[in-house]
Amino acid sequence: MSALLQLSGVSVAIGKAHLLEGIDLALDRGQILGLVGESGSGKSLTAMAAMGLLPLIGGRVTAGEVRFDGTDLSTLGEAGRRHLRGRRIGFVTQNPMTALDPVQRIGAQIDVVSRLHLGLDKAAARARTLDLMAQLRIPEAAAVAEAWPHQLSGGMKQRIVIAMALAGDPDLIIADEPTTALDVTVQAQILQILAGLVRDRGLALMLITHDMGVVAQLCDRVAVLYAGRLAEERAVGPIFAAPAHPYTRALTLCIPREGMARGSLHGIPGAVPSAAAYPAGCRFHPRCARADATCRATVPALSALPDGGLVACHHAEPGAP
Ligand code: SF4
């Protein structure tokens, strides 16, 4: 049986720039998949492909297919994809202010989603809005529903965005760096809320983040992207216990740990190349201590690991914890 969301060999281009190549991912109900990598690795573009949003930014899938609940997204017109996004897939953005209309009251912005996608009348939509707000532990929900966005704190605004994402009763939530704009205590609350939705409602969650600490705490599986390609995809336990790809290993060494001496935090030398300057062979080779002539000349294919994961490296560690 296929997964709820399945990307099979997906390549994406915008104009002449080939930005994603051969991405394989699967995500099912009740699972949290972390999509990680530095800026420019292709995380957000992968999410846009999963939501059928590429045409809106002039992008297209050039190879492979994206399937949601068995339906190939390329067979849907824009109306079908729009319905899918509001009704079956909810989206939580990095910056809640860009998702909220500053001149509409909070409650009305949530109501409209269930009116549009579930066909509820005004009273039923408002009842659903207040119920969702209570589930997201928003105090005095009725009063907050009458407030304007600028009257709420950043953490409260992000809860409202999550309520909007849930209002169409979706099966999948895609959250793109949902806590970046928030302070540390509020970050933890928002992540707990998202994890609770997966546990209590059986939702699937795709969590885009550059924070491996968050991944270790929340995710079931992890997909590591580098320069538009999948480097490694595995269950969270083995990926931290024995990363198979040098880039994954480098990312895990970037996690600050309790008791760590000042100055001992590892960084990854260099930067992700731009799409216009992708190197030949393995795109990570200019930053990889293990790179050799094969790495510089030949693209490493994705191969299966004994634990069911995938890795793309000529000199991958065996990957067994
Ligand atoms: Fe490093 Fe070579 Fe593996 Fe690329 S293929 S990650 S350069 S060892």
Side-chain angles (χ1 to χ4, degrees), residues 150-309:
H150 73 267
Q151 294 175 301
L152 305 185
S153 67
M156 198 57 77
K157 284 198 253 301
Q158 194 59 301
R159 287 176 200 227
I160 299 302
V161 172
I162 295 172
M164 286 166 69
L166 289 173
D169 199 18
D171 304 281
L172 165 67
I173 296 275
I174 296 182
D176 190 354
E177 306 269 10
T179 59
T180 304
L182 307 175
D183 70 45
V184 178
T185 332
V186 182
Q187 278 182 16
Q189 290 167 2
I190 296 293
L191 291 171
Q192 271 173 21
I193 285 172
L194 289 170
L197 293 171
V198 175
R199 194 179 53 236
D200 303 338
R201 293 171 166 244
L203 289 179
L205 172 64
M206 181 190 278
L207 182 64
I208 298 171
T209 179
H210 59 269
D211 187 336
M212 289 295 270
V214 166
V215 169
Q217 277 174 37
L218 287 192
C219 296
D220 300 298
R221 294 195 74 84
V222 190
V224 180
L225 295 180
Y226 186 79
R229 289 186 186 143
L230 189 62
E232 185 166 359
E233 194 280 335
R234 288 169 80 195
V236 75
I239 216 162
F240 282 96
H245 194 285
Y247 182 56
T248 313
R249 180 176 297 276
L251 288 177
T252 61
L253 292 174
C254 294
I255 305 174
R257 291 175 179 83
E258 215 174 313
M260 214 172 202
R262 198 179 250 268
S264 63
L265 193 61
H266 293 259
I268 309 176
V272 181
S274 72
Y278 282 153
C282 172
R283 289 176 181 167
F284 189 55
H285 83 247
R287 304 173 74 188
C288 182
R290 275 194 243 162
D292 62 10
T294 306
C295 304
R296 287 187 280 274
T298 310
V299 177
L302 275 175
S303 55
L305 289 162
D307 58 22

Side-chain angles (χ1 to χ4, degrees), residues 84-167:
L84 191 78
R85 285 195 293 273
R87 171 66 188 83
R88 308 287 312 275
I89 304 176
F91 183 55
V92 178
T93 59
Q94 188 173 122
N95 181 354
M97 272 324 281
T98 59
L100 296 174
D101 181 345
V103 295
Q104 253 207 82
R105 291 182 196 274
I106 292 296
Q109 299 195 46
I110 307 173
D111 296 347
V112 74
V113 181
S114 52
R115 294 195 73 182
L116 191 66
H117 293 291
L118 302 180
L120 300 186
D121 64 23
K122 204 172 166 187
R126 178 51 57 98
R128 179 171 173 76
T129 292
L130 296 178
D131 185 41
L132 282 170
M133 290 169 80
Q135 286 177 42
L136 295 174
R137 288 176 261 149
I138 295 170
E140 299 178 53
V144 174
E146 293 306 317
W148 303 98
H150 73 267
Q151 294 175 301
L152 305 185
S153 67
M156 198 57 77
K157 284 198 253 301
Q158 194 59 301
R159 287 176 200 227
I160 299 302
V161 172
I162 295 172
M164 286 166 69
L166 289 173

